Amino acid sequence: MTYIIWVRFQALGLFLLLFCLFSCQPKVDIERPSDPWAFRSVLDKKPRMLTLALDSACYVAYDLSNQQLYKVWKGGVLLEGAVYTNKKNIQPSSWGTPYLKNREIYNRWKITHDGNEISITWKYKGYKLKDKQITIWNEAHMESGEVIRIEEQPEFVSNKNGDPGLERRILIENLPEGHTLHLCSEQNCEKWEKSGSYVVRTFFDPLPDQHPPSLGDKYDHLGILKMEMSDCYTCHEEHNKMVGPSFADIAAKYPDKKNSYPQLIKKILEGGAGVWGEIPMNPHPELREGDIIPMLDYIYSLKPAIQASHSTPIIKASLTEEDVRQPGFGAALEGVHPSYDIRTLHFGDFKPKVGAMAFLPDGRLLVSTWDRLGAVYLLDGVEKGDTTQITIKRIAEGLAEPLGLEVVDGEIYVLQKHELTHLVDTDGDDIIDEYRVVSDAWGVTEDFHEFAFGLVHKEGKFYIATSMAMRLMSNQKQHPDRGRTLEIGMDGTYRGLDYGLRTPNGIGKGVDGELFVTDNQGQWLPGNKLIHVKEGAYNGMAWGLQDSIDETPPMVPPAIWLPDVEIGNSPSEPILMKDGPYKGQMLHGDVTHGGIKRDFLEKVNGAYQGSVFRFSQGFTAGVNRLVWGPDGALYVGEIGMVGGWSWKENQYGLEKLTYNGKSTFEMLAIRAKPDGFEIEFTEPLANDKQMSNDDILIQQWWYAPTPAYGGPKKDLTYLEPSEITLSEDRKKCRLVIPNLKEQHVVYFLLSANIKSNQGNPLWSGEAWYTLNQIPNSNEK
């Protein structure tokens, strides 16, 4: 039994009369069954969804891309996925029983004039939260320029018989005379010819208690997703024989992966019988090798992993094996940079997986979290560095993976996975009341890896970086807006600046006020990168190339290569330095390699290139976001997840570094010269030390982007300086190095025995210089 009641509110008395007449009883003390009860996410493989847990007996979801009610059901949402349960191949899904069939839902808006439907541009504009109720705001833009505003407030109700129901309060503003607004299901339409306030109540037959499914851990592998998109699980299971053998049995029968893959690929494509009995295996001509290989990878993952062996590095002269194994000399640093003091700001139950940070003009810190809550917190007192004096207030929640924050003229903007949102506090209590859309125009799908990273405001524009989808079938294409740096105007319009990024988890203003992004090693990326954003630049990830491109364009080399494992795994937000001798250089964090790295950049032939140094470790978790506070301290936001994307499996942290003025002996800069390099130190070298070839190891290599994940060093060679001289102040070391090649990475490893004239040992003796171009004699 489902019935619908439409009411128009002309006056308060009529409303009260009708309210009593229909015996509806909205909850007075509203209690919602989840926290947050209104939240954004992918849902049922649909992006840009808003789910409302109105009551344990009534969940509703809105498809914001299409400005329509998607589903009304009894049950809940299975919050699975990377941000919720550390699983990378699944997104949230609804469970339970719907009250209405799809064709029964009133979910399509249209406007007619003289009986004819007219062309309308529909825009979702945001929602308001007040007193545990929500009002959703859409606009209809007519070709004449007129804008019709439609607000909808959904609520769970019940009638005198206790039947559950959904009430939708609808406010229509600016409906032109002679026009009719319709709200339609596949079966019927309701219509209004005037602006005003209306309500629709739909009551349903009660449903029995619902129970969520149990998915276990099986989704956390690309091969499983590929197999589920095919028919593999119809005949096979992981460990039990069904129609066909178990995957574990297959892995045991074909132990030699390298030689077995071609045979198994052929078998899957062509089908056949005889190996495991007479029951034939269906052919799968629709699959491609790129789909089958992840399936086989998963099958072989059911066998015990074999520990990889690592070769001992070649040691030269006074660079002993001990040199290249200690922190800062072949191994990650273990402590905080000596020129900085660290304070921990997370405490008690406040364990933020920091997605973004920004400061308000009054010095209070905003922190968004990459977690189930999708929250924004307001921290007061952080400048004191004393957790007993810090107050924490949750001011917003229900955001979809908020990985960017920016404050512009005192106003808060947050970048969600699929939307740039203006957060507005209308009554001054610091709690966000309105979530207004700035832009949701760029293209998205439901893929878990389609992150939107960072948020920079510069000269009236916002800048973000989008990552590519990672779970596409071979016949599917990336959306053109993926893998790009996007420029977004305050009016919501956007444009792509570059393309070919993979996982650019970080965008920031760097040297000369220019934009830089970091990118993570992967397919078509043989190493991690620090990239100067240049309009029209192709950054190498070929998945982002569109069919309209006849030939693969040349990859614009990064400003700095960040060799995987050595100095990076998951580089994050870059930021310009403000302290001491490092002022004007850059820093960037790393989520998986851990710590903060320092970047020295110079312009050669008009393009940025430079060196990366180890800088600091000693943080609780992987470093995701960096922001300078009004107190001059560097605030460090940390993040992680189980099973990857983490530093030593730690998942949260908020700390700050304060420059203490102490000098740390290390390489300050490396500059390219026409015939070699100049290394500058923060302190003069010891007076009794003359640098020789025995004190330094130099290598060079290049990278070749391929479809493989990552890539090896190509043509790795050792270089010998033909001349080494020190400057008069002993702070600069000039190296003349024959056989240097452009488009190569040059690695420097100094001996740990080198000391300054103050007797200080090197903090770190390693650097990686990206020699895109050798300067000419006139430039240097």
Side-chain angles (χ1 to χ4, degrees):
M1 175 186 66
T2 300
Y3 56 95
I4 300 173
I5 302 169
W6 297 93
V7 183
R8 178 178 180 182
F9 297 141
Q10 295 277 358
L12 178 61
L14 178 59
F15 163 68
L16 294 174
L17 175 64
L18 293 173
F19 181 83
C20 297
L21 177 65
F22 293 117
S23 302
C24 286
Q25 302 168 0
K27 293 179 180 293
V28 177
D29 296 324
I30 299 174
E31 294 184 8
R32 304 301 189 192
S34 72
D35 179 25
W37 65 273
F39 56 91
R40 299 288 301 276
S41 72
V42 170
L43 183 71
D44 297 344
K45 298 185 178 181
K46 294 179 178 292
R48 293 191 171 123
M49 301 294 286
L50 170 65
T51 300
L52 308 177
L54 298 178
D55 189 87
S56 59
C58 185
Y59 276 64
V60 300
Y62 286 82
D63 181 347
L64 302 180
S65 294
N66 297 298
Q67 301 83 39
Q68 60 182 221
L69 179 64
Y70 160 67
K71 189 175 185 179
V72 184
W73 76 101
K74 183 176 182 180
V77 175
L78 197 66
L79 292 175
E80 291 276 5
V83 70
Y84 307 103
T85 56
N86 301 306
K87 299 174 185 175
K88 299 179 182 178
N89 299 326
I90 189 171
Q91 292 272 38
S93 58
S94 61
W95 59 267
T97 302
Y99 285 113
L100 297 170
K101 297 178 181 178
N102 289 340
R103 60 189 181 87
E104 297 173 331
I105 299 176
Y106 283 82
N107 63 1
R108 188 173 77 87
W109 297 96
K110 69 177 183 178
I111 296 176
T112 60
H113 180 60
D114 293 334
N116 298 313
E117 185 171 355
I118 62 175
S119 178
I120 293 292
T121 300
W122 293 92
K123 294 183 179 181
Y124 160 67
K125 300 298 291 183
Y127 57 84
K128 309 175 199 175
L129 287 174
K130 200 71 174 177
D131 300 327
K132 290 189 177 181
Q133 290 192 308
I134 190 169
T135 303
I136 303 167
W137 169 22
N138 292 293
E139 287 182 349
H141 290 247
M142 302 174 61
E143 291 182 338
S144 63
E146 294 176 281
V147 178
I148 303 166
R149 181 185 177 108
I150 303 168
E151 293 186 358
E152 177 175 342
Q153 186 181 92
E155 185 57 271
F156 172 75
V157 293
S158 59
N159 62 16
K160 62 182 181 182
N161 298 321
D163 297 327
L166 175 66
E167 177 182 273
R168 301 168 68 182
R169 296 172 180 263
I170 296 171
L171 173 67
I172 305 169
E173 295 181 346
N174 304 323
L175 182 63
E177 188 173 347
H179 290 71
T180 303
L181 176 67
H182 303 253
L183 179 58
C184 303
S185 69
E186 291 186 12
Q187 300 172 325
N188 297 295
C189 284
E190 297 297 331
K191 60 184 181 180
W192 300 277
E193 296 178 347
K194 294 182 179 181
S195 298
S197 298
Y198 303 89
V199 66
V200 55
R201 297 190 188 101
T202 308
F203 294 97
F204 320 108
D205 292 328
L207 291 171
D209 291 341
Q210 306 292 303
H211 303 284
S214 177
L215 291 182
D217 297 324
K218 73 172 190 172
Y219 283 89
D220 200 18
H221 196 288
L222 173 58
I224 299 168
L225 188 68
K226 298 285 189 181
M227 288 192 284
E228 288 193 340
M229 295 174 76
S230 184
D231 63 353
C232 302
Y233 280 103
T234 304
C235 300
H236 303 274
E237 284 187 355
E238 276 79 2
H239 299 285
N240 300 310
K241 183 182 183 302
M242 294 178 61
V243 177
S246 70
F247 295 138
D249 288 340
I250 294 172
K253 187 176 181 66
Y254 301 94
D256 186 353
K257 291 176 60 175
K258 181 177 179 180
N259 294 324
S260 298
Y261 269 36
Q263 179 183 355
L264 291 171
I265 290 170
K266 185 173 185 292
K267 182 72 173 179
I268 292 170
L269 289 172
E270 297 177 359
V275 177
W276 298 94
E278 296 304 314
I279 299 177
M281 176 180 177
N282 295 331
H284 299 83
E286 76 282 1
L287 295 178
R288 300 180 185 179
E289 184 172 322
D291 301 318
I292 297 173
I293 288 176
M295 299 178 184
L296 296 177
D297 288 343
Y298 173 65
I299 290 171
Y300 277 95
S301 74
L302 301 175
K303 297 179 62 178
I306 299 174
Q307 185 68 34
S309 61
H310 299 277
S311 60
T312 302
I314 298 174
I315 309 303
K316 175 186 170 185
S318 64
L319 293 172
T320 65
E321 192 167 324
E322 182 180 353
D323 283 330
V324 297
R325 287 183 175 175
Q326 68 185 69
F329 298 83
L333 295 169
E334 292 181 353
V336 177
H337 193 283
S339 297
Y340 290 81
D341 298 324
I342 191 169
R343 289 289 186 93
T344 298
L345 303 180
H346 59 264
F347 63 96
D349 294 332
F350 182 57
K351 300 176 179 179
K353 300 172 76 171
V354 178
M357 298 183 294
F359 276 91
L360 289 170
D362 61 10
R364 292 182 295 172
L365 175 63
L366 297 165
V367 176
S368 69
T369 55
W370 190 75
D371 58 13
R372 181 186 64 82
L373 293 177
V376 176
Y377 295 89
L378 181 61
L379 279 66
D380 197 358
V382 293
E383 73 283 355
K384 300 171 184 175
D386 182 356
T387 56
T388 63
Q389 299 186 58
I390 296 175
T391 61
I392 301 172
K393 188 174 188 179
R394 193 168 100 188
I395 65 171
E397 66 275 321
L399 300 166
E401 304 186 43
L403 291 173
L405 270 173
E406 187 73 289
V407 174
V408 181
D409 297 329
E411 298 292 313
I412 303 171
Y413 296 85
V414 61
L415 179 65
Q416 302 188 62
K417 192 180 187 80
H418 299 146
E419 180 183 301
L420 175 56
T421 310
H422 182 191
L423 302 181
V424 181
D425 169 23
T426 60
D427 56 11
D429 63 356
D430 289 327
I431 300 299
I432 298 304
D433 305 302
E434 296 186 6
Y435 298 67
R436 299 177 186 170
V437 178
V438 177
S439 180
D440 61 355
W442 69 88
V444 299
T445 74
E446 78 280 2
D447 189 276
F448 96 94
H449 200 270
E450 284 192 353
F451 301 106
F453 291 117
L455 187 59
V456 172
H457 185 262
K458 180 183 177 184
E459 298 174 356
K461 304 284 187 180
F462 289 103
Y463 296 88
I464 71 172
T466 65
S467 64
M468 289 194 184
M470 290 291 156
R471 298 300 180 257
L472 300 180
M473 297 295 281
S474 295
N475 61 345
Q476 294 177 301
K477 288 289 186 181
Q478 293 283 344
H479 192 282
D481 290 337
R482 308 313 308 177
R484 310 195 75 168
T485 304
L486 301 182
E487 178 188 85
I488 303 173
M490 284 291 191
D491 60 356
T493 58
Y494 79 100
R495 67 188 185 104
L497 297 181
D498 55 6
Y499 63 110
L501 299 170
R502 182 182 181 273
T503 314
N505 180 23
I507 180 170
K509 285 187 282 191
V511 296
D512 302 323
E514 294 290 305
L515 290 175
F516 290 83
V517 299
T518 58
D519 206 357
N520 289 202
Q521 174 186 273
Q523 297 84 355
W524 293 102
L525 269 76
N528 307 284
K529 298 178 178 181
L530 175 69
I531 297 168
H532 174 220
V533 176
K534 290 183 283 190
E535 189 165 354
Y538 169 57
N539 293 299
M541 178 49 157
W543 290 3
L545 296 177
Q546 301 302 306
D547 292 335
S548 58
I549 298 177
D550 296 329
E551 295 184 9
T552 301
M555 183 192 78
V556 175
I560 301 178
W561 282 105
L562 308 171
D564 198 60
V565 178
E566 297 173 41
I567 192 62
N569 291 123
S570 306
S572 55
E573 182 172 33
I575 192 172
L576 191 66
M577 292 200 73
K578 296 184 177 181
D579 289 325
Y582 318 102
K583 186 175 181 179
Q585 297 190 22
M586 293 174 65
L587 299 175
H588 71 266
D590 196 293
V591 173
T592 309
H593 195 264
I596 298 175
K597 325 302 175 185
R598 177 166 57 86
D599 307 302
F600 168 78
L601 290 170
E602 58 179 347
K603 266 191 174 180
V604 176
N605 299 330
Y608 290 107
Q609 62 185 45
S611 51
V612 57
F613 306 90
R614 301 188 189 276
F615 186 69
S616 183
Q617 190 43 273
F619 305 102
T620 301
V623 175
N624 191 43
R625 295 291 180 259
L626 302 168
V627 66
W628 290 103
D631 58 348
L634 179 65
Y635 288 76
V636 182
E638 300 151 36
I639 202 170
M641 61 176 282
V642 175
W645 295 351
S646 65
W647 166 249
K648 297 184 176 180
E649 300 295 321
N650 297 324
Q651 299 182 57
Y652 67 89
L654 178 63
E655 291 164 298
K656 77 170 184 173
L657 293 177
T658 303
Y659 183 60
N660 57 32
K662 296 177 183 177
S663 176
T664 299
F665 181 45
E666 59 185 325
M667 288 181 279
L668 177 62
I670 297 180
R671 299 177 180 90
K673 298 296 181 180
D675 57 357
F677 289 94
E678 176 188 83
I679 301 176
E680 182 180 2
F681 295 89
T682 55
E683 298 176 3
L685 272 68
N687 292 328
D688 61 350
K689 179 65 179 175
Q690 293 299 322
M691 292 281 289
S692 71
N693 287 351
D694 289 343
D695 297 313
I696 187 167
L697 180 147
I698 305 174
Q699 298 172 334
Q700 72 175 354
W701 66 84
W702 63 283
Y703 287 118
T706 70
Y709 191 102
K713 299 173 180 177
K714 297 288 189 178
D715 301 328
L716 174 65
T717 58
Y718 287 82
L719 302 174
E720 291 274 355
S722 61
E723 183 180 338
I724 301 178
T725 57
L726 294 179
S727 63
E728 186 175 346
D729 63 2
R730 303 184 66 80
K731 292 184 71 173
K732 294 179 181 179
C733 179
R734 185 77 162 80
L735 305 174
V736 176
I737 306 174
N739 303 315
L740 282 172
K741 296 180 180 179
E742 294 186 333
Q743 302 297 321
H744 279 60
V745 177
V746 183
Y747 170 66
F748 297 85
L749 174 60
L750 305 186
S751 171
N753 296 322
I754 297 174
K755 289 183 170 54
S756 75
N757 63 357
Q758 301 177 33
N760 296 323
L762 281 169
W763 171 239
S764 174
E766 288 182 286
W768 294 257
Y769 189 100
T770 299
L771 188 64
N772 292 325
Q773 298 185 63
I774 296 175
N776 57 53
S777 57
N778 294 327
E779 187 168 5
K780 291 283 182 177

